[in-house]
Amino acid sequence: MLQVTNISLAFGGRVLYKDVNLKFTKGNCYGIIGANGAGKSTLLKIITGEIEPNTGEISITPGERMSVLAQNQNAYDNETVLNTVLLGHKRLMDIQKEKDELYMKPDFSEEDGIRAGELETEFAELGGWEAESEAKSLLQNMGIEESYFDRLMGELDAKLKVKILLAQALFGNPDILILDEPTNNLDFKTSRWLEEYLLEFENIVIIVSHNRHFLNKVCTHICDVDYGKINMFIGNYDFWYESSQLILRQMKDQNKKAEQRAKELKEFIARFSANASKSKQATSRKRELERLTLEDIKPSSRKYPYINFEYSQEIGKEVLKVENLSKAGMFKNLNFNIEKGQKVVFFAKNSQILTTLFNIIIGSETPDSGQVFVGKTIKMTNLPQNNNAYFENNTSSIVDWLRQFSQDQNETYIRSWLGRMLFTGEENLKPANVLSGGERVRCMLAKMMLEQGNLVILDEPTNHLDLESITALNKGMVNFRGNLLFSTHDQEIIETVADRIIDIIDEDKYIDFTGTYQEYIEKYSK
């Protein structure tokens, strides 16, 4: 068990959280969520002892071992891949080192023999004799071939290092596993393997992640870092989000009868308790959910942008047709015809391939050969992955920045669109060139909504967005009745939005599949 007791932390005059009390127990997976800067990763650093809180303490059941996903990818550059994984169990490696030193002594004494015996016993209890085999198995499960095991970490690509450091954190069956953004830079196959691994993991897992699919799949509890407090909820991310929104709606309707509110909550909880994500804890979680009352669920203080794509012109029979499109080093003889209402996700091993394809479709780049035919009724609106051209060297306020894309020039009207994207009051007077990455994307989304295109193109739209904005974007994409072409690493968006997949495998090969992502995986991952 891990207990957080009366933890408080402030930086300067800013209180990050105050009097936080949490208990993490065996067999559960806890997702830490919160707005950017709320203190999610800081909480992990307090738990691991990297940061000292102003007040309070962290207590762990004696004898339990904590393992942490290393964030510094270069920390083990002088170690071999296999040894890096083994170093995830520091006590085991310390024992191995001491054993080796004892056995190498030329004047090995009786006292040394007694000590060696003690070490051998502890080594065996910790699984030392199976350690190398377990480390190799973890690496192979993550797609790391045996030929890499004796190579130095410093020689490897960053994406391989991420997998190896993850194997290091998982190694040795730790009692407490701390993972900060574990799916960043992981391919889908490794992410799915990690999900299944954590579903069967029997100890404590604490995760910070912006990956909603991952949080929904593995979490049994959600810890919401919100306005100086950390509240713990039973269930996965979707349960936390939907229940929070339900209670918020009910609180706004003061005239709703208590009986009706209780009925809605009971039906809602029953729906989620039937879909417990972790099989071994399903029965106990179901009982916990059934015991919940209205008072147990608190609405979040955080706000969500309102993203709703609408189009001004109906879509005709012809939408978009690509014939024999080629671009050297990227794709060759690419052919597809987009039908009315389709929402198509594009995959490629390199995101630049998809950026180039989207640029050719909107007309800002030319192909080496081939043609793009756009239907007469089609009006495109586009969110590029790199939006620097829209903001750099632009010192006008964001009200004036957005005004250029609006037919209605009235300031109140412009501010109402910015308000949907959570820009209020003085924030609307910010110069466009000082906006953060997330603020820029929200401005671009406001622009797109104003343009009312019926063919929306989104190139990695979740880049720079927080969890709240990603959730709102996902909802907007699901509800959109027009055509969508998009690329993303967000699996939840892929699974809930796409009804067709175009996967550019290499320059000479692509797959065009009509169906859901799950159907695609079932067909092509075998």
Side-chain angles (χ1 to χ4, degrees):
M1 186 184 74
L2 185 154
Q3 188 130 2
V4 173
T5 307
N6 295 325
I7 291 293
S8 299
L9 183 68
F11 293 112
R14 183 189 172 213
V15 177
L16 209 56
Y17 16 75
K18 185 178 181 182
D19 298 330
V20 171
N21 291 279
L22 300 167
K23 183 164 75 171
F24 303 95
T25 57
K26 184 177 179 179
N28 289 312
C29 179
Y30 301 84
I32 313 295
I33 64 169
N36 288 346
K40 303 182 293 295
S41 294
T42 301
L43 176 64
L44 297 190
K45 290 177 181 178
I46 290 174
I47 289 172
T48 60
E50 189 176 338
I51 291 178
E52 188 76 23
N54 300 132
T55 64
E57 62 177 8
I58 305 295
S59 54
I60 299 173
T61 302
E64 291 193 343
R65 181 174 73 89
M66 182 184 293
S67 183
V68 183
L69 175 60
Q71 297 297 304
N72 181 1
Q73 292 185 4
N74 303 319
Y76 298 89
D77 279 358
N78 295 321
E79 298 286 349
T80 66
V81 167
L82 185 59
N83 206 44
T84 298
V85 177
L86 293 170
L87 285 168
H89 197 324
K90 186 177 183 300
R91 177 57 188 158
L92 192 64
M93 292 301 97
D94 287 345
I95 293 171
Q96 181 67 64
K97 183 181 178 183
E98 189 177 348
K99 276 172 51 185
D100 292 344
E101 289 173 350
L102 280 173
Y103 292 138
M104 289 175 66
K105 288 179 67 173
D107 54 344
F108 190 83
S109 64
E110 183 179 347
E111 186 179 334
D112 292 331
I114 294 170
R115 177 57 180 160
E118 293 171 348
L119 292 171
E120 291 288 6
T121 300
E122 187 178 357
F123 187 75
E125 289 173 349
L126 294 175
W129 298 114
E130 301 83 35
E132 191 167 309
S133 174
E134 180 193 340
K136 289 179 178 180
S137 178
L138 279 170
L139 288 168
Q140 289 168 336
N141 285 331
M142 292 186 185
I144 308 294
E145 296 176 1
E146 195 167 350
S147 58
Y148 284 93
F149 292 178
D150 293 323
R151 290 181 60 179
L152 292 177
M153 288 283 284
E155 300 172 359
L156 304 183
D157 175 80
K159 289 188 177 181
L160 284 178
K161 285 185 176 181
V162 167
K163 293 183 178 183
I164 295 159
L165 292 176
L166 182 56
Q168 180 193 70
L170 302 178
F171 173 67
N173 193 37
D175 301 288
I176 302 165
L177 179 60
I178 309 290
L179 303 174
D180 193 351
E181 296 291 359
T183 62
N184 277 6
N185 294 315
L186 282 190
D187 55 77
F188 284 144
K189 185 176 180 180
T190 308
S191 291
R192 289 197 304 275
W193 177 86
L194 179 61
E195 288 169 6
E196 295 305 318
Y197 183 93
L198 294 180
L199 285 174
E200 297 302 318
F201 190 73
E202 297 182 343
N203 296 325
I204 297 170
V205 187
I206 304 175
I207 297 171
V208 167
S209 177
H210 283 82
N211 186 330
R212 294 165 305 136
H213 171 85
F214 187 69
L215 292 175
N216 281 329
K217 185 78 173 180
V218 304
C219 288
T220 60
H221 295 71
I222 293 294
C223 298
D224 181 26
V225 184
D226 192 13
Y227 288 86
K229 296 181 180 180
I230 305 178
N231 294 309
M232 185 182 291
F233 300 87
I234 302 164
N236 61 13
Y237 176 79
D238 273 355
F239 179 80
W240 167 83
Y241 171 73
E242 292 189 30
S243 60
S244 176
Q245 295 298 298
L246 170 64
I247 301 301
L248 190 61
R249 288 194 301 271
Q250 292 181 343
M251 286 175 63
K252 288 179 179 178
D253 187 358
Q254 297 296 324
N255 297 321
K256 187 178 288 289
K257 292 180 180 180
E259 292 83 357
Q260 179 62 24
R261 295 168 70 186
K263 180 175 179 290
E264 283 186 25
L265 182 64
K266 185 180 289 186
E267 290 172 353
F268 176 80
I269 291 170
R271 177 161 58 88
F272 269 87
S273 63
N275 292 286
S277 65
K278 200 167 185 178
S279 57
K280 291 190 177 180
Q281 284 77 38
T283 303
S284 60
R285 282 185 61 215
K286 187 173 185 295
R287 284 197 295 266
E288 286 183 280
L289 285 167
E290 288 170 344
R291 286 197 298 267
L292 279 180
T293 66
L294 196 66
E295 289 71 31
D296 292 325
I297 304 175
K298 299 177 179 65
S300 172
S301 303
R302 297 198 300 280
K303 295 181 179 179
Y304 292 76
Y306 177 71
I307 300 172
N308 184 42
F309 300 111
E310 295 181 349
Y311 50 82
S312 55
Q313 183 170 335
E314 283 297 326
I315 303 171
K317 289 184 179 180
E318 296 179 350
V319 179
L320 179 75
K321 190 174 184 180
V322 165
E323 285 189 352
N324 299 317
L325 207 64
S326 297
K327 192 73 173 180
M330 296 190 178
F331 43 82
K332 189 183 296 180
N333 296 325
L334 190 61
N335 289 276
F336 57 84
N337 183 32
I338 305 299
E339 297 177 2
K340 182 178 179 179
Q342 282 188 327
K343 298 178 179 180
V344 187
V345 62
F346 289 78
F347 296 150
K349 60 184 177 182
N350 184 337
S351 65
Q352 187 56 45
I353 293 172
L354 302 183
T355 295
T356 300
L357 175 60
F358 291 154
N359 285 342
I360 291 172
I361 289 172
I362 66 176
S364 63
E365 282 192 50
T366 56
D368 296 337
S369 61
Q371 291 180 292
V372 176
F373 300 96
V374 181
K376 292 181 180 179
T377 62
I378 296 303
K379 179 181 180 182
M380 286 190 275
T381 183
N382 171 52
L383 178 69
Q385 187 173 162
N386 185 337
N387 55 39
N388 288 344
Y390 287 90
F391 297 96
E392 285 185 352
N393 304 317
N394 191 329
T395 58
S396 61
S397 70
I398 58 175
V399 171
D400 290 332
W401 179 89
L402 188 59
R403 197 192 310 270
Q404 64 185 311
F405 305 107
S406 174
Q407 291 183 354
D408 189 332
Q409 297 288 293
N410 182 275
E411 182 155 334
T412 301
Y413 178 75
I414 302 297
R415 282 177 176 261
S416 72
W417 285 92
L418 289 169
R420 291 184 178 196
M421 304 310 295
L422 307 183
F423 293 102
T424 59
E426 295 298 313
E427 285 185 311
N428 290 308
L429 302 179
K430 272 186 178 181
N433 63 344
V434 303
L435 297 179
S436 68
E439 288 173 329
R440 287 185 177 191
V441 174
R442 283 189 279 129
C443 280
M444 291 295 293
L445 290 168
K447 163 190 171 292
M448 294 177 72
M449 289 190 289
L450 271 173
E451 290 173 334
Q452 294 191 313
N454 52 21
L455 174 56
V456 172
I457 299 176
L458 303 167
D459 190 2
E460 293 291 349
T462 64
N463 285 0
H464 307 294
L465 291 183
D466 57 23
L467 205 51
E468 293 73 43
S469 298
I470 293 171
T471 302
L473 173 64
N474 194 164
K475 188 176 181 180
M477 292 172 72
V478 168
N479 292 337
F480 183 51
R481 295 184 300 109
N483 283 95
L484 268 174
L485 308 182
F486 65 98
S487 66
T488 183
H489 284 86
D490 190 294
Q491 193 170 336
E492 190 78 6
I493 288 179
I494 294 168
E495 291 191 349
T496 57
V497 176
D499 53 29
R500 182 176 171 186
I501 294 160
I502 296 178
D503 188 352
I504 301 174
I505 306 297
D506 55 42
E507 187 175 2
D508 297 303
K509 181 182 178 183
Y510 66 93
I511 297 171
D512 188 347
F513 177 81
T514 299
T516 66
Y517 176 68
Q518 187 60 41
E519 291 168 340
Y520 175 77
I521 290 298
E522 289 172 0
K523 182 172 181 178
Y524 289 101
S525 65
K526 295 176 182 178

